[in-house]
Amino acid sequence: MSERKPWYRHFGQRFTPRPTSPQNLEDLEQLQQIQITLGAESQLDTPYLVLVVGSCIIATLGLLANSAAVIIGAMIVAPLMMPIRGLAFGALIGDLTLFRRAFLSLAVGAGVAILLSCGLGLVAGLSTFGSEILARSTPNLLDLGIAIAAGAICGYASVEPKVSATLPGTAIAVALMPPVCVVGLGLSQGNWVLSWGAFLLFLTNFLGIALACMVAFLLAGYAHWTKARGVLAVATLLTSGLVVPLGISFVELTRQNRLETNLRKALLSGTITFQRVELIRTQTNWQMHPPETRLTVRAQEPITPRQVKLLEAFLERRMGQKFTLVFNVNPIQEVRADDTDNP
């Protein structure tokens, strides 16, 4: 008696079952079932648009209020991950109907979110944005890694019902709706740099999820390597194209963190004046030679040029390059109701 292959070895060889093979009939039924499920998830219908509009409003207001908790709530409601999964499956097995349906849903959902968030941004009329918005304008390689990991779980959850309960957590981890809303908020102020950075983050999440879903479907046996390698090659090539800009951002993030660490160490262990200085934030222009770092601090006493020069020398020794430091000093003043002027 010949040994029977497990179900996942049959997938990808031929989707047309042999009449004498009940196992192949079962395989085909499973394939058709996942196509139906993903097709329904990728449908551009009223429930999908309601979720897009609702999650966009929640995310945009949370971003404007600089509230991480509200933004997390929007991530759970946002439905954008579902059409990405359908798009990946349709491209992998050559189902053009599923691919087009999922792509249309994703494009319309993202477009509606951008327009709606832009309108809310114009109504709010804030002159400056908080940290939650700015944090989504500088994606790096870490974001791509998160997207790939989340996409793998998302793809596996579609073929393993026991894992489907993890989808809300996956949606929180990869965050598709907030970057789209930041694109709209940037457009509302004409801030093209902010909008481009947020769009790059969305593109990173999209390609990372799609590629990882394809690999998960392939490993689960829903496609054959010889048929799927062309699509996988294109997806890998597109995703690899993001490595350069994301890598540059990652290097800048690493250098910025190292610089801030050395600055805080110098301020804590420096002169008595620096020990009384509270560092609020730093901003470095790496395009200048040498790089210029602006430090916003609170201080009770004036900071002298000599102290700045000594701090620049300290950073040059620790970082291996010269920096130009510019201090923006906010004086500290305590005022109480019971303070009176004595004549």
Side-chain angles (χ1 to χ4, degrees):
M1 181 181 295
S2 62
E3 184 180 356
R4 208 171 195 183
K5 295 181 181 180
W7 66 269
Y8 56 84
R9 295 294 300 277
H10 290 280
F11 279 126
Q13 296 176 4
R14 289 182 180 275
F15 291 132
T16 304
R18 294 193 300 265
T20 58
S21 176
Q23 184 69 33
N24 279 346
L25 288 172
E26 181 182 349
D27 293 345
L28 183 60
E29 290 176 359
Q30 292 178 357
L31 174 65
Q32 292 174 340
Q33 182 59 45
I34 192 173
Q35 284 181 283
I36 293 173
T37 302
L38 293 179
E41 291 178 352
S42 305
Q43 184 69 38
L44 181 61
D45 51 15
T46 300
Y48 175 79
L49 291 175
V50 169
L51 289 177
V52 166
V53 172
S55 61
C56 175
I57 293 175
I58 296 172
T60 303
L61 296 180
L63 288 165
L64 292 173
N66 206 39
S67 173
V70 176
I71 297 171
I72 290 174
M75 296 176 193
I76 299 176
V77 179
L80 296 181
M81 186 176 288
M82 296 300 100
I84 295 179
R85 188 164 66 174
L87 182 148
F89 190 76
L92 193 67
I93 67 172
D95 188 342
L96 293 181
T97 300
L98 177 58
F99 178 85
R100 291 169 181 167
R101 176 184 299 176
F103 182 82
L104 178 63
S105 297
L106 181 64
V108 171
V112 168
I114 290 174
L115 292 175
L116 183 57
S117 59
C118 181
L120 291 174
L122 290 172
V123 172
L126 297 183
S127 58
T128 57
F129 290 140
S131 58
E132 290 292 338
I133 293 177
L134 299 179
R136 287 166 174 82
S137 63
T138 53
N140 55 64
L141 289 176
L142 299 178
D143 296 297
L144 180 59
I146 294 171
I148 291 175
I153 297 174
C154 181
Y156 182 60
S158 65
V159 298
E160 179 52 65
K162 294 181 180 179
V163 189
S164 59
T166 64
L167 284 181
T170 305
I172 294 174
V174 76
L176 285 164
M177 183 59 74
V180 176
C181 296
V182 173
V183 173
L185 290 174
L187 293 176
S188 70
Q189 285 195 351
N191 191 335
W192 303 105
V193 175
L194 179 67
S195 294
W196 165 248
F199 178 75
L200 183 60
L201 177 57
F202 173 74
L203 191 62
T204 298
N205 290 337
F206 163 62
L207 291 177
I209 292 173
L211 177 60
C213 280
M214 290 180 187
V215 174
F217 292 136
L218 181 65
L219 294 178
Y222 283 90
H224 196 277
W225 166 248
T226 57
K227 295 182 179 180
R229 60 186 178 184
V231 175
L232 280 174
V234 172
T236 303
L237 183 62
L238 292 175
T239 307
S240 301
L242 299 175
V243 171
V244 174
L246 297 179
I248 293 174
S249 297
F250 181 74
V251 171
E252 290 183 353
L253 175 64
T254 303
R255 290 197 297 175
Q256 185 69 29
N257 287 341
R258 185 184 172 196
L259 177 61
E260 289 186 7
T261 300
N262 285 317
L263 282 171
R264 293 185 185 279
K265 183 176 180 180
L267 294 178
L268 290 174
S269 61
T271 64
I272 295 177
T273 300
F274 276 147
Q275 289 177 358
R276 297 175 181 174
V277 170
E278 178 187 355
L279 180 61
I280 301 175
R281 65 177 176 270
T282 63
Q283 184 177 4
T284 303
N285 184 354
W286 296 99
Q287 305 301 322
M288 298 183 66
H289 302 283
E292 182 183 272
T293 300
R294 291 187 171 270
L295 299 89
T296 303
V297 300
R298 292 192 182 96
Q300 294 180 346
E301 300 179 6
I303 297 176
T304 65
R306 174 175 172 76
Q307 290 171 324
V308 176
K309 185 176 181 179
L310 291 174
L311 186 56
E312 288 178 345
F314 172 82
L315 285 178
E316 185 176 358
R317 292 193 302 270
R318 295 299 299 267
M319 300 287 292
Q321 68 178 114
K322 295 186 65 175
F323 286 87
T324 300
L325 300 182
V326 180
F327 278 81
N328 297 322
V329 183
N330 298 329
I332 298 176
Q333 181 181 8
E334 289 187 2
V335 180
R336 298 174 182 269
D338 55 359
D339 289 342
T340 58
D341 293 329
N342 294 324

